[in-house]
Amino acid sequence: MPTLVQNRKAYFNYEIAEKMEAGMELLGFEVKSIKNGRGSLDGSYVSMSDEEAFLIGANISPYQPKNTPISYDPKRPRKLLLTKKEISRYGVAAGKKIAD
């Protein structure tokens, strides 16, 4: 599957020692929006809580603003789809920031 959203600035600002691929829990219109290039990872990071990983601060603009629910938050936390083995591999305590 092709990469749809990438933070190119992270490669300039940080030394990337290891890459990891993860799925993300999205709403239907968020998938359409990302496919149209309306996603941004600038300033986002991964946070762990209760043995789950969440992407915090990623911005996904609405696909069709007039048809988007009023309560939609483009910067809402999104659950990352990782196995418990992958999460425990990093040995990070709950609530601690992993990467930018």
Side-chain angles (χ1 to χ4, degrees):
M1 177 171 235
T3 302
L4 298 174
V5 180
Q6 184 175 0
N7 187 355
R8 292 184 205 112
K9 206 172 189 181
Y11 289 95
F12 180 76
N13 292 334
Y14 303 98
E15 179 182 340
I16 307 297
E18 185 177 346
K19 288 185 180 181
M20 185 173 182
E21 205 170 290
M24 194 174 3
E25 218 174 64
L26 296 172
L27 302 172
F29 57 87
E30 289 178 327
V31 174
K32 290 179 182 180
S33 183
I34 286 177
K35 284 184 177 182
N36 282 340
R38 294 185 182 170
S40 173
L41 294 176
D42 292 342
S44 63
Y45 60 92
V46 175
S47 178
M48 309 292 266
S49 65
D50 299 328
E51 297 182 3
E52 294 181 326
F54 291 90
L55 181 64
I56 311 292
N59 187 9
I60 300 177
S61 301
Y63 175 65
Q64 294 176 333
K66 291 182 180 179
N67 293 335
T68 304
I70 296 170
S71 62
Y72 176 65
D73 178 14
K75 290 196 171 193
R76 71 180 179 87
R78 293 170 177 87
K79 184 176 179 180
L80 295 178
L81 305 175
L82 299 168
T83 63
K84 289 188 180 197
K85 183 178 178 181
E86 289 173 321
I87 292 172
S88 65
R89 179 175 174 221
Y90 291 96
V92 179
K96 204 169 186 186
K97 188 175 174 180
I98 294 178
D100 201 321

